[in-house]
Amino acid sequence: MYNEIIVAGFGGQGVLLIGKLLTYAGMKAGFEVTWMPAYGPEMRGGTCNCTVVLSDRQVGSPISRNPHALIVLNLQSIDKFEPAVRTGGIMVMNTSLINRPAARTDITVVPIPANQIALEAGTTKAANMVVLGAYIGASGVVDLGLVKETLADTFAGRQKLMGINQTCLDRGFEIGQASAAVTTR
């Protein structure tokens, strides 16, 4: 197993947190992992992405030119990274902030209104958990339980945030699984 994943959006959307959660869950699963962030000098609102590699063998490089998957949270990021996804790959896109359909037909696309789902759970700040859940549901790259364990470690002592984030992960996971089932028929 070897998976390269790019997570992209703008600062403040929790892009780096998604990458860290995937990385730590991969470590708990016994994978070799890398996490490489890239962001502009702005604290919030600037471009932000990270590359995660999860593998059952040694990782040669943390850089990915053609990732197996893309989790994309805004329009600028889909324009930049969609062409790079490998044929047969997965792209999870936040349709709350991306106002165009996917341009690719050779990849599995999981469109999900992440901001809307997160708002229904209590806050739009958890939209990142919705897309993370959708990616895990569509790909099965790591066990959802491991991500929840990692999330619990990250939000220890903040029960309200934990509940909302788990709800959003679960809802995204359900949609990701349903999307993958439709694609494989």
Side-chain angles (χ1 to χ4, degrees):
M1 189 277 286
Y2 186 86
N3 278 289
E4 298 172 356
I5 305 135
I6 292 180
V7 184
F10 54 78
Q13 286 186 295
V15 168
L16 301 181
L17 178 60
I18 293 171
K20 286 181 181 181
L21 291 172
L22 279 171
T23 301
Y24 289 131
M27 288 171 61
K28 287 181 179 192
F31 297 136
E32 298 289 324
V33 301
T34 64
W35 174 76
M36 189 174 78
Y39 45 89
E42 304 89 352
M43 286 294 287
R44 293 188 181 272
T47 61
C48 181
N49 69 80
C50 66
T51 303
V52 175
V53 179
L54 304 173
S55 177
D56 59 4
R57 59 187 188 275
Q58 192 171 21
V59 177
S61 173
I63 299 169
S64 177
R65 294 189 196 282
N66 297 103
H68 298 90
L70 172 63
I71 301 171
V72 65
L73 295 166
N74 67 352
L75 183 61
Q76 296 84 352
S77 297
I78 194 172
D79 290 342
K80 179 177 181 178
F81 292 107
E82 182 182 16
V85 179
R86 293 174 195 225
T87 297
I90 297 172
M91 180 174 69
V92 176
M93 58 187 281
N94 178 8
T95 58
S96 294
L97 298 179
I98 299 171
N99 61 358
R100 70 163 176 85
R104 305 272 303 272
T105 58
D106 61 338
I107 59 176
T108 298
V109 177
V110 181
I112 187 165
N115 289 53
Q116 179 183 336
I117 292 168
L119 182 59
E120 290 167 5
T123 178
T124 57
K125 292 179 180 181
N128 61 337
M129 294 298 111
V130 176
V131 293
L132 175 58
Y135 172 64
I136 294 166
S139 69
V141 70
V142 292
D143 182 78
L144 182 62
L146 292 176
V147 174
K148 286 183 176 183
E149 283 179 28
T150 304
L151 186 66
D153 295 343
T154 303
F155 288 99
R158 296 182 279 178
Q159 258 339 93
K160 182 179 179 188
L161 292 176
M162 187 61 198
I164 290 170
N165 283 308
Q166 282 195 346
T167 297
C168 289
L169 265 174
D170 288 336
R171 184 67 182 115
F173 184 80
E174 293 167 6
I175 292 168
Q177 278 190 317
S179 182
V182 169
T183 304
T184 57
R185 287 185 190 168

